[in-house]
Amino acid sequence: MALFPGRRPKRRTLVGTLAALVLAGSAAVAPAAAAAIPGQDEVVKTANMHHLANIPKPPVFSGTGSYGTDWAFKGNYAFAGNYDGFTVYDISKPAKPQIVTVVKCPGSQNDVSISGNLLFLSTDSSRSDDSCQSVPKPATEKDAWEGIKIFDISDVRNPRYVKAVETKCGSHTNTLVPGKKGTAYIYVSSYRPDSTFPDCQPPHDLISIVEVPLNNPQAAKLAAEPVLFPDGGNPGDKKDYPEGTSETSGCHDLTAYPSKNIMAGACMGDGVLFDISDRLKPRIIHSVRDDENFAFWHSATFNNKANKVVFTDELGGGSTATCNAAIGQDKGADAVYDIVGKGDKRKLVFRSYFKIPRANADTENCVAHNGSLIPVKGRDIMVQAWYQGGISVWDFTDSRKPKEIGWFERGPLSNDQLILGGSWSAYYYNGYIYSSDIQKGLDVIDIRDKATDKGKRVKLDVLNAQSQPDYFD
C-alpha cells in the first residue's frame, strides 16, 4: 500500500508530488513479451473470471492523482479509500453496484477499516490541521497534522466526522484489532522518519496504538507506542533503487488474526510474527529477512489455520515496472512461509516464491500487492492485486508449489509513458472479488471454478482484510 517505499521523497510533501505523477516509461519491450501483452486498456482474463461490473471513480476523484486505495466491507456496503477521501458503494447486487455517497477528505492514502458503526481513515501526508478541509503543510513545521480520523457510518448516506488522533509519522496503514467488549484498538503503521520532522524523529522503531471506546469515539486516544525493534531492525543496504533492501524504521502493514492472538508484520526490511495476547504490548515471536530477493516487506496474509503466512515484496514502491524478464520471478513477488512449532517456539520457515507468470509492458507498474483469502475449507487460496499486472487467484495449499487458478488484467494505461494505475486491493467478500483500481474505480469479478466455488457459501457481516476472521471456527 505504499508508493516509493524504499527511496521515496520527503514524506510530507508526497501528495503534491504524486498528484502530478506521470513517469516516463521505456518503450523497449522484448518481442516475445510484447506479443503476449494486451493492447492499451484491453481486458484479458481466464475463462473462469467473469467481469460483472466496472464503476468509474466518482467525478470528484476523477483526476489521475486521486488514487483508489484500500477496501473495508460491512453488510451490503463496500467502503473504498482514495487519496482524496472515500466512496461508499451499495453492493447488494454485485453485478449492479451503486455509489451511495462520496466523502471528500484529502490526506493520502486514506486506508480504511471498520468496527461497529465507526470507520477509521489513515492520513499519511502532512496537513494544516485534522479537518477534511485541510491543505498540505510541510512536516518540518511542528503544528502540521497527520494520523487517524474517525467517522460515524451508522447512516452510510451521511458519514459524520467525529474525532481525530494524531500519531507519530502519520498513519500509512491501520489495522483493526478488537479488544475487550466495546473497545477497539487501531494499530497504526508508519515509517520513514526524518530528523527535520518534529513529529517523526528517527529511529521510529515503533507503532502507534489508538484505543477507541466504540460507544464513545470522542474519547479515542493514543494508548501506547510499543517499540518493536529495540535493536534497530534491518539496517538495509546501499544497492541501487529499486532492488536494494530497505532499512527497518517502522512497519508498513500489520495483519492481525485476533481470534488466534497473533499478527504478521511487514516491516520494511523484516518479516515478523507477533503475539498480541496483550493488545497494548505486541511481542515478537520470530522475525526473518530476505536480503537477496526482498526489497520492501509490504503486507501479509495468514492462511485460515494460521500455520502459513504469505508476505509481499513491494519492489519499486508500486511505481515501477517489475513484472518482466529483467527482474525475474523471485523479486517483487510473494514469499510463502510455513509457521512451525508452538507457542513462543514458533518460527517462520521459507518455502517458495510466487509471482504472476505474465509479462507486463515497461509502461506498467506491477508488483505484488494487497489480497485476501478465498474461504475454501481444506485449501489455501487467495486473490491478490498486482497493480497493472491485474488480479490473480492462486493456491498455496502446497506451500512449496503454489499455482495460479485464474487471472484478470487490462492492457497498459499508456503505451508511451508509465501512468500509475491498476488494482491496488483485490479482496473476496461474500462470494465475489472486489478490486479497487487506482484509476478505473470499482471492478466486480465472479470467479466460477470448482476450486473456489465452496467459498461462496461463507458469509461475513464485516471484512477488514488486515484483521483476518477465522472462517471455519
Side-chain angles (χ1 to χ4, degrees), residues 210-244:
V210 176
E211 184 178 70
V212 185
L214 296 177
N215 292 328
N216 183 21
Q218 290 283 1
K221 64 180 181 180
L222 181 64
E225 293 177 330
V227 173
L228 303 183
F229 303 99
D231 64 350
N234 194 331
D237 60 34
K238 304 292 185 182
K239 291 179 183 177
D240 291 337
Y241 178 80
E243 295 184 59

Side-chain angles (χ1 to χ4, degrees), residues 104 108 181 188 215 224 235 264 303 311 360 408 435 458 464 472:
K104 187 172 183 181
S108 64
K181 187 175 181 180
V188 174
N215 292 328
N303 69 336
F311 287 103
N360 272 212
F408 168 98
S435 168
V458 179
N464 301 297
F472 306 111

Side-chain angles (χ1 to χ4, degrees), residues 1-3 8 14-15 18 60-61 65-72 79-87 102-114 119-127 129-134 145-151 161 170-175 189 370 424-425 427 436 466:
M1 289 185 278
L3 297 169
R8 63 179 182 169
L14 191 57
V15 171
L18 291 179
V60 70
F61 298 157
S66 292
Y67 303 138
T69 60
D70 212 358
W71 286 115
F79 300 78
N82 184 285
Y83 266 56
D84 285 325
F86 65 93
T87 304
V102 179
V103 176
K104 187 172 183 181
C105 194
S108 64
Q109 51 191 23
N110 281 336
D111 273 15
V112 290
S113 61
I114 290 172
L119 178 143
F120 306 98
L121 193 70
S122 288
T123 299
D124 190 37
S125 63
S126 188
R127 312 295 298 180
D129 55 59
D130 64 4
S131 75
C132 286
Q133 293 74 46
S134 67
W145 185 91
E146 53 191 321
I148 286 284
K149 297 186 178 85
I150 303 173
F151 288 80
Y161 180 25
S171 173
H172 195 69
T173 62
N174 74 80
T175 301
S189 296
N370 296 344
W424 180 290
S425 298
Y427 299 149
S436 175
Q466 286 76 41

Side-chain angles (χ1 to χ4, degrees), residues 80-93:
N82 184 285
Y83 266 56
D84 285 325
F86 65 93
T87 304
V88 183
Y89 296 91
D90 182 334
I91 55 171
S92 56
K93 297 179 180 179

Side-chain angles (χ1 to χ4, degrees), residues 282-337:
R283 183 172 55 83
I284 291 178
I285 300 172
H286 190 232
S287 62
V288 290
R289 295 175 183 173
D290 182 351
D291 291 345
E292 180 178 358
N293 287 316
F294 257 47
F296 190 86
W297 296 73
H298 172 273
S299 53
T301 303
F302 289 101
N303 69 336
N304 197 69
K305 289 184 178 180
N307 59 11
K308 299 174 190 173
V309 183
V310 174
F311 287 103
T312 69
D313 172 24
E314 196 184 48
L315 173 69
S319 64
T320 57
T322 68
C323 296
N324 52 42
I327 296 296
Q329 289 299 107
D330 292 345
K331 296 183 178 182
D334 297 313
V336 183
Y337 283 79

Side-chain angles (χ1 to χ4, degrees), residues 105-386:
C105 194
S108 64
Q109 51 191 23
N110 281 336
D111 273 15
V112 290
S113 61
I114 290 172
S115 181
N117 287 322
L118 300 179
L119 178 143
F120 306 98
L121 193 70
S122 288
T123 299
D124 190 37
S125 63
S126 188
R127 312 295 298 180
S128 58
D129 55 59
D130 64 4
S131 75
C132 286
Q133 293 74 46
S134 67
V135 296
K137 187 169 188 174
T140 52
E141 299 187 25
K142 176 61 178 173
D143 60 348
W145 185 91
E146 53 191 321
I148 286 284
K149 297 186 178 85
I150 303 173
F151 288 80
D152 185 322
I153 55 168
S154 52
D155 180 355
V156 295
R157 298 186 179 277
N158 295 286
R160 182 173 58 88
Y161 180 25
V162 296
K163 173 75 173 182
V165 178
E166 187 171 16
T167 57
K168 289 179 180 177
C169 299
S171 173
H172 195 69
T173 62
N174 74 80
T175 301
L176 187 287
V177 183
K180 60 184 179 181
K181 187 175 181 180
T183 303
Y185 294 99
I186 310 302
Y187 286 16
V188 174
S189 296
S190 56
Y191 56 95
R192 288 284 177 257
D194 191 301
S195 60
T196 67
F197 299 161
D199 297 323
C200 186
Q201 291 285 300
H204 192 67
D205 293 324
L206 56 81
I207 63 170
S208 301
I209 302 179
V210 176
E211 184 178 70
V212 185
L214 296 177
N215 292 328
N216 183 21
Q218 290 283 1
K221 64 180 181 180
L222 181 64
E225 293 177 330
V227 173
L228 303 183
F229 303 99
D231 64 350
N234 194 331
D237 60 34
K238 304 292 185 182
K239 291 179 183 177
D240 291 337
Y241 178 80
E243 295 184 59
T245 300
S246 177
E247 77 287 354
T248 297
S249 57
C251 289
H252 178 276
D253 216 327
L254 300 165
T255 296
Y257 201 149
S259 68
K260 298 186 184 299
N261 288 322
I262 57 173
M263 181 170 71
C267 298
M268 305 176 70
D270 294 271
V272 189
L273 183 66
F274 295 93
D275 180 292
I276 56 170
S277 301
D278 184 335
R279 299 296 197 240
L280 292 176
K281 295 179 180 179
R283 183 172 55 83
I284 291 178
I285 300 172
H286 190 232
S287 62
V288 290
R289 295 175 183 173
D290 182 351
D291 291 345
E292 180 178 358
N293 287 316
F294 257 47
F296 190 86
W297 296 73
H298 172 273
S299 53
T301 303
F302 289 101
N303 69 336
N304 197 69
K305 289 184 178 180
N307 59 11
K308 299 174 190 173
V309 183
V310 174
F311 287 103
T312 69
D313 172 24
E314 196 184 48
L315 173 69
S319 64
T320 57
T322 68
C323 296
N324 52 42
I327 296 296
Q329 289 299 107
D330 292 345
K331 296 183 178 182
D334 297 313
V336 183
Y337 283 79
D338 284 350
I339 301 174
V340 300
K342 295 181 179 181
D344 285 352
K345 294 184 178 181
R346 284 173 287 185
K347 293 185 180 298
L348 295 162
V349 179
F350 173 77
R351 296 305 188 201
S352 65
Y353 297 111
F354 171 79
K355 190 173 183 180
I356 56 172
R358 293 166 296 288
N360 272 212
D362 287 350
T363 59
E364 292 182 282
N365 57 299
C366 172
V367 76
H369 217 236
N370 296 344
S372 75
L373 290 184
I374 296 179
V376 179
K377 195 167 187 178
R379 308 293 297 178
D380 299 325
I381 301 173
M382 69 179 290
V383 59
Q384 185 174 8
W386 289 79

